[in-house]
Amino acid sequence: MKFDPTKVKFMDLHEIELSPERAKVGLDIRVVGNDAGEKLSILAGTLARLDRPAPDYGMGEYNDFNTFYLQAASGTSGGSSGSPVLDIDGHAVALNAGGASRASSSYYLPLDRVKIALKCLQRGEQVPRGTLQTEFEYLPYNEVRRLGLRAHIEEKVRSKFPDETGMLVVKSLLPKGPADQLLVPGDIVLGCNNQMIPHFIALSEVLDGSVGQTVKLTLSRGKKVHDVEVLVQDLHSITPDRFVEIGGGIVHELSYQLAKSYSQPVGGVYVASSGHMLASASAWRKSIIVSVNNIPTPSLNAFIEAMQTLPDGARVPLRYYGLHKPYKEKVMIMNVDRHWHKFRLAVRNDLSGLWEYTQMPPPPPTPPYRPSSATLPPLDASMPLASMLLPSFVAIDFYLPYLVDGMKATQFFGTGIIVSKSPPLIVCDRDTIPISLGDILITFANSIIIPGKLLFLHPLYNFAVITYDPTLIGETPVNAVEFSDKELSQGDDVWFTSMGSDHSVSSKKITVSGISNIGTRECSPPRWRAMNVEGIKVDDTHSAQGGLFTTEEGKVQAIWVSYSSQNEKGKDISFMSGLPASLVAPTIDQFLKTSLKATNTTPISSVAFKGLDVELWTMRIAAARTLGLKDEWVRRIEQSDSTRHTLLYVLNILDEQSLSARTLKVGDVILSINGHLVTRMSDLNKIYEYGDSVRMVILRNGTEMEVVVSLSELNGYETSRVVHWQGALIQRAYKAVLEQVRNVPDGVYVSCTLYGSPASNVLRPGVWIVEVDGQPVHDLDSFLSVTHAHEAEISRRRRPSYAPSVQRPRNGSDLKQPISEISALLSEDAEDDDDNSVEGYVRIKTVSRNGTVRVAALKLDIHYWDTWQLVKDDSMMCGWTCTEA
């Protein structure tokens, strides 16, 4: 690493002399560093070994090789990596590099090659690095003897190098490397270029000085001695100096270090981060891409050329294999993404130390989808109901480009039900489409895949409404289901037609075992959850991922949907339950009334709901009596036709700033709404038809009172804008967040931080940014205004280096007058108070959900982490557009 010493303030710098030749067994050393994260620690030890093999940290991790390591029992731990190992005179004899987790042993990197590299850099030269893509090991003489070393050769080596205890042996070599087919594991290295090679240091000196040249290795293979000529490769040429950023992922050519770990040839397109696009094909990190759309990709240039031929939204085959199983190739379908993320090439600039970006050309125009037709498989004659309902089932896949609105996963799938053909409408649960930000793909007849568009996310009940272009499925048979007016009750027999995870359809008659409240927990991070609703339980549903409860004539009485929640340990869970058709049908009716107006440019604004911003739960009559419920209400409940003798009470206020929170309080028992007795969740269904407010009779603190509760307006999507700033995804706080905070801070909400970004080191997801450099932030616009002004100020004030303020001499009168220490601090001119701005830091004040206030300094990195935003755009199929902010 290189730094500018003029930017180091208020301290003197001292060089540590590198003296690897001082390392001796028995030398007392001190390791000076940040052991275990401490600001400064000094650990003592004594060098015990100078020829220890390099530590092995596991397959796929960075492992040193072709070098000795030093060993001592200094007990260093995390935080000490890179610390100098000093002798009594303050000379560095090694560099701390690792340690044993179950012992006090510490491992140090020798400085012989480091010292040579430092001299090259000081002369402004590139450090020469030669390689044979071969790993050698240092074995003791007795083991080398077993490999075939003759006695007279051993005698000469021992005589020439009396301090050595062994010799170098070929351990492994990479296929297609310069030594492939020339060297063999087990070869004993006797010399190079007619000079005897006793250890790693001597071999490295020869290879580093012979880059691009042929060297002659003298080997003992078994009992035979022979010479082999090998071309020394430049290690820099197989060290990646470019990477491609595409679809939210990063790929580059396979490095020597990883290739060695998995015994693979150097090169090939390596997935460093899968991101949004490659994850759609399950090409995860540590995969090698073999071809894209049947175009071979042996190099990064070939991968770039192949991707430039693909339009946005294309679905193409991706052939790849994982490094841990290179013998097993996979072919998966990849969804090409050019609308959520950038496609650019980064090249390392060794002079500036930056990776310089080049934007790739825009994708070719997306060709229109060609209409296709498919037929449904015939079902057994014993399943007439399934045959009738099968054209109403579709499969839905949902892909998230970013983790916002409390999401922890990026891929979802489930079953959809066609509820209208004109306009084309499909209903699915919110465990399949949980939020509005993402790409929807719909599969018809298990044969045709077309894009879908989100129309509506129900704010109260567990379903979403999407649409599609019916011309794209040609003559494929589709049918819209018909809803039944008959409500299901416990003990009813009902036909259950379902679709399994393998898209197989089954149909059978089952019995409703119960109808009970849907209970979900507050999630972390906060996300939408179902509440104030009842679910239908049945005895046997096998492994259905979606289905319908219908009458014998096929009229839908409920939809089998998946609910998402978390358990008491915070682990994500899901469970299935029936969603009554009476909760879905009113929404579909609204869409049908607005007809085509609700399917294209204004799908959401035409459908709005009003509801209570409270979470309710049921209470037994006995508990209500204890709270002061009068016998008159008990008699009314007992004389009603309700199947449940319970009452509802306010379990939680979902938004302390809502209209409902002005009137209702936690613990209020709801006796009636607009004169109607309320004994179960299903009694709330008509509340959303009452207008802007409802009259309630409630029981609070033992007192019965009548109140007017204003209803809050709930729309189809909450989030309509997301800003990316310094690796943080920032948005307005959504409903699920407000549920978990009493006093909502005035600011913008951090929904997610991207790995390795400046924000990931300073900001935690789930906090509000309320101030930036002392300036209040109220919304996304004010946040962008403040941050852009700060970035402009940094650019204006930036100086080439830090210059300490000039010490101004005082005159005689000044010296005679006493001055306090604080006054001295305040007397400096304000023009020198821009040090933080010059260094690119900005102060961020945050408030957490529990009210904890924190101020931290964030180092801006505009080069790698620019500012952009996602904005709701109903003209796009995905419903969003990405623009500069």
Side-chain angles (χ1 to χ4, degrees):
M1 295 177 62
K2 183 179 180 181
F3 73 100
D4 185 354
T6 63
K7 292 186 177 181
V8 178
K9 310 173 186 178
F10 310 119
M11 66 177 295
D12 296 327
L13 297 178
H14 298 277
E15 294 181 355
I16 297 178
E17 186 174 348
L18 304 184
S19 303
E21 67 280 357
R22 288 180 172 234
K24 308 291 182 184
V25 173
L27 178 69
D28 288 336
I29 49 98
R30 299 291 184 271
V31 181
V32 182
N34 309 107
D35 192 68
E38 298 293 337
K39 182 155 283 191
L40 179 64
S41 62
I42 302 176
L43 302 177
T46 303
L47 289 183
R49 290 186 64 182
L50 305 182
D51 59 353
R52 189 200 187 280
D56 186 356
Y57 298 110
M59 182 176 291
E61 304 297 330
Y62 183 87
N63 295 301
D64 224 336
F65 56 95
N66 289 350
T67 181
F68 289 125
Y69 262 63
L70 282 57
Q71 178 184 327
S74 60
T76 56
S77 60
S80 288
S81 297
S83 300
V85 180
L86 306 177
D87 65 4
I88 193 171
D89 297 319
H91 289 239
V93 299
L95 202 68
N96 185 65
S101 58
R102 299 183 179 180
S104 60
S105 299
S106 301
Y107 312 128
Y108 312 134
L109 177 71
L111 296 178
D112 303 86
R113 304 305 300 161
V114 175
K115 187 173 182 179
I116 295 174
L118 176 62
K119 291 180 179 179
C120 291
L121 294 175
Q122 289 173 334
R123 294 193 298 264
E125 302 173 357
Q126 186 183 48
V127 180
R129 300 292 305 278
T131 181
L132 302 179
Q133 292 192 30
T134 302
E135 181 181 3
F136 299 89
E137 60 181 335
Y138 189 79
L139 296 181
Y141 284 118
N142 61 328
E143 294 189 28
V144 178
R145 233 178 279 127
R146 299 185 191 115
L147 294 176
L149 181 67
R150 292 180 175 273
H152 73 278
I153 297 178
E154 178 182 347
E155 181 181 359
K156 292 181 181 179
V157 174
R158 285 179 177 270
S159 175
K160 178 74 173 179
F161 305 103
D163 294 333
E164 296 299 324
T165 60
M167 299 179 68
L168 295 180
V169 176
V170 175
K171 182 179 181 180
S172 64
L173 59 159
L174 295 190
K176 301 182 181 180
D180 189 23
Q181 307 299 325
L182 298 176
L183 303 183
V184 176
D187 284 350
I188 304 168
V189 180
L190 303 179
C192 183
N193 289 346
N194 298 318
Q195 298 293 323
M196 297 181 70
I197 299 295
H199 43 59
F200 290 117
I201 297 175
L203 179 62
S204 298
E205 289 178 354
V206 174
L207 295 182
D208 290 348
S210 306
V211 175
Q213 304 174 18
T214 299
V215 296
K216 182 175 71 173
L217 290 177
T218 303
L219 308 171
S220 173
R221 184 176 298 168
K223 298 292 183 180
K224 297 182 180 179
V225 177
H226 62 281
D227 295 332
V228 173
E229 291 189 348
V230 186
L231 179 66
V232 179
Q233 187 177 22
D234 186 358
L235 184 59
H236 296 294
S237 67
I238 55 175
T239 301
D241 60 354
R242 303 183 304 157
F243 67 83
V244 168
E245 185 178 318
I246 183 170
I250 292 177
V251 299
H252 56 72
E253 292 189 341
L254 183 64
S255 67
Y256 177 34
Q257 178 68 223
L258 274 172
K260 171 192 164 296
S261 186
Y262 292 96
S263 299
Q264 293 296 302
V266 173
V269 181
Y270 170 77
V271 179
S273 175
S274 57
H276 172 62
M277 184 181 74
L278 294 173
S280 67
S282 299
W284 308 114
R285 183 174 178 265
K286 293 187 178 180
S287 296
I288 301 295
I289 298 175
V290 178
S291 67
V292 177
N293 197 25
N294 300 318
I295 302 174
T297 55
S299 65
L300 193 63
N301 287 337
F303 175 81
I304 294 174
E305 292 173 0
M307 292 305 305
Q308 287 178 336
T309 65
L310 302 177
D312 181 39
R315 288 174 49 81
V316 298
L318 182 75
R319 182 180 293 272
Y320 65 94
Y321 62 86
L323 283 176
H324 62 292
K325 291 183 178 180
Y327 56 86
K328 192 173 184 179
E329 287 190 352
K330 297 181 180 179
V331 179
M332 302 289 283
I333 301 301
M334 179 180 71
N335 304 320
V336 177
D337 165 38
R338 297 293 300 274
H339 58 279
W340 294 114
H341 300 90
K342 296 179 180 179
F343 180 19
R344 54 185 182 175
L345 171 68
V347 180
R348 189 183 69 225
N349 186 326
D350 292 330
L351 296 178
S352 66
L354 297 175
W355 293 77
E356 297 177 347
Y357 287 107
T358 300
Q359 299 293 337
M360 293 292 101
T366 302
Y369 274 81
R370 290 180 299 178
S372 301
S373 298
T375 59
L376 295 169
L379 300 181
D380 191 90
S382 62
M383 302 172 63
L385 186 59
S387 299
M388 181 179 70
L389 294 175
L390 183 58
S392 303
F393 283 91
V394 296
I396 298 175
D397 292 278
F398 185 63
Y399 299 93
L400 274 69
Y402 300 101
L403 297 178
V404 297
D405 286 355
M407 292 295 98
K408 297 171 66 176
T410 58
Q411 298 183 20
F412 299 82
F413 61 90
T415 300
I417 307 298
I418 299 174
V419 295
S420 172
K421 293 175 61 176
S422 180
L425 299 176
I426 296 174
V427 166
C428 66
D429 58 53
R430 289 196 60 169
D431 202 20
T432 300
I433 302 181
I435 64 174
S436 62
L437 185 73
D439 293 318
I440 302 172
L441 295 176
I442 310 172
T443 303
F444 290 83
N446 204 21
S447 175
I448 302 172
I449 299 178
I450 65 172
K453 183 174 183 178
L454 178 66
L455 296 182
F456 183 72
L457 288 169
H458 202 289
L460 306 170
Y461 303 137
N462 183 23
F463 71 90
V465 181
I466 63 176
T467 188
Y468 62 94
D469 185 352
T471 62
L472 300 181
I473 61 173
E475 301 300 322
T476 303
V478 293
N479 288 333
V481 297
E482 183 180 352
F483 291 110
S484 172
D485 295 331
K486 182 183 178 182
E487 293 279 356
L488 286 175
S489 300
Q490 186 176 12
D492 286 350
D493 290 333
V494 64
W495 283 93
F496 179 59
T497 304
S498 63
M499 178 176 286
S501 56
D502 59 351
H503 302 285
S504 61
V505 177
S506 63
S507 182
K508 62 181 177 179
K509 200 170 188 178
I510 58 177
T511 301
V512 176
S513 60
I515 300 177
S516 58
N517 299 337
I518 295 294
T520 56
R521 292 176 178 267
E522 292 182 354
C523 300
S524 180
R527 66 171 184 257
W528 182 89
R529 63 189 182 98
M531 62 184 75
N532 302 345
V533 66
E534 293 177 345
I536 299 170
K537 308 297 182 183
V538 293
D539 293 329
D540 184 17
T541 57
H542 296 296
S543 59
Q545 76 175 24
L548 296 172
F549 296 113
T550 67
T551 63
E552 196 167 358
E553 296 77 25
K555 292 186 177 181
V556 176
Q557 295 175 285
I559 303 176
W560 190 243
V561 295
S562 174
Y563 288 87
S564 174
S565 185
Q566 289 182 348
N567 60 19
E568 62 277 1
K569 296 182 179 180
K571 183 179 180 180
D572 288 344
I573 60 172
S574 61
F575 58 91
M576 305 294 291
S577 184
L579 180 67
S582 59
L583 302 182
V584 180
T587 302
I588 303 304
D589 289 342
Q590 289 196 46
F591 276 104
L592 296 178
K593 288 177 183 178
T594 55
S595 189
L596 295 177
K597 295 180 181 179
T599 63
N600 294 317
T601 58
T602 58
I604 309 257
S605 58
S606 59
V607 179
F609 287 83
K610 289 184 178 292
L612 297 172
D613 261 322
V614 297
E615 180 181 6
L616 303 174
W617 200 248
T618 52
M619 175 183 291
R620 295 180 302 153
I621 296 298
R625 282 181 182 273
T626 304
L627 296 178
L629 182 67
K630 296 179 180 180
D631 292 340
E632 176 187 350
W633 285 101
V634 177
R635 286 193 297 271
R636 287 184 59 182
I637 295 172
E638 293 174 346
Q639 294 171 3
S640 67
D641 57 357
S642 175
T643 58
R644 303 221 186 135
H645 291 176
T646 57
L647 289 171
L648 301 183
Y649 74 99
V650 178
L651 178 65
N652 184 27
I653 301 294
L654 302 181
D655 184 356
E656 293 288 345
Q657 297 179 343
S658 66
L659 298 176
S660 301
R662 300 176 185 177
T663 308
L664 297 178
K665 295 185 178 182
V666 172
D668 286 351
V669 181
I670 300 176
L671 304 178
S672 68
I673 297 179
N674 282 3
H676 298 284
L677 196 65
V678 178
T679 61
R680 53 187 293 186
M681 295 295 184
S682 58
D683 294 334
L684 298 173
N685 294 352
K686 294 184 178 181
I687 193 175
Y688 312 113
E689 304 172 5
Y690 289 153
D692 296 332
S693 63
V694 293
R695 288 182 296 103
M696 285 188 182
V697 177
I698 63 174
L699 181 66
R700 176 185 298 168
N701 300 328
T703 303
E704 186 179 312
M705 61 181 66
E706 183 172 333
V707 296
V708 176
V709 182
S710 298
L711 301 181
S712 302
E713 185 170 335
L714 309 172
N715 56 34
Y717 321 112
E718 277 190 273
T719 302
S720 59
R721 186 183 182 192
V722 177
V723 170
H724 169 272
W725 178 77
Q726 294 298 302
L729 297 179
I730 301 171
Q731 60 182 109
R732 188 186 69 174
Y734 48 96
K735 284 296 224 183
V737 174
L738 304 181
E739 173 189 353
Q740 300 184 24
V741 62
R742 179 174 295 275
N743 298 314
V744 181
D746 184 19
V748 291
Y749 183 75
V750 179
S751 191
C752 175
T753 56
L754 304 183
Y755 179 75
S757 66
S760 66
N761 297 322
V762 176
L763 299 175
R764 292 184 298 107
V767 300
W768 280 262
I769 297 176
V770 296
E771 287 185 9
V772 177
D773 258 1
Q775 299 185 48
V777 170
H778 306 290
D779 52 27
L780 292 176
D781 288 329
S782 62
F783 173 79
L784 289 174
S785 177
V786 171
T787 54
H788 286 333
H790 183 82
E791 292 167 2
E793 184 67 10
I794 289 177
S795 300
R796 186 184 69 82
R797 291 187 176 187
R798 190 175 297 278
R799 295 176 292 187
S801 63
Y802 171 79
S805 57
V806 179
Q807 298 294 322
R808 299 172 178 80
R810 298 177 182 174
N811 54 37
S813 60
D814 290 339
L815 295 175
K816 294 179 182 179
Q817 296 179 0
I819 183 170
S820 68
E821 294 180 355
I822 298 299
S823 299
L825 293 176
L826 300 177
S827 63
E828 297 292 338
D829 292 341
E831 63 184 19
D832 293 324
D833 291 342
D834 62 348
D835 299 339
N836 284 341
S837 297
V838 172
E839 294 180 1
Y841 283 94
V842 58
R843 293 191 314 278
I844 304 294
K845 182 178 180 180
T846 62
V847 179
S848 65
R849 292 199 295 269
N850 61 8
T852 301
V853 179
R854 182 171 174 261
V855 177
L858 185 146
K859 181 68 178 289
L860 296 178
D861 187 346
I862 304 175
H863 178 76
Y864 295 108
W865 302 94
D866 53 348
T867 304
W868 45 263
Q869 63 182 344
L870 297 169
V871 181
K872 200 73 194 69
D873 185 354
D874 289 327
S875 65
M876 304 290 291
M877 177 58 71
C878 66
W880 294 76
T881 186
C882 182
T883 63
E884 293 184 358

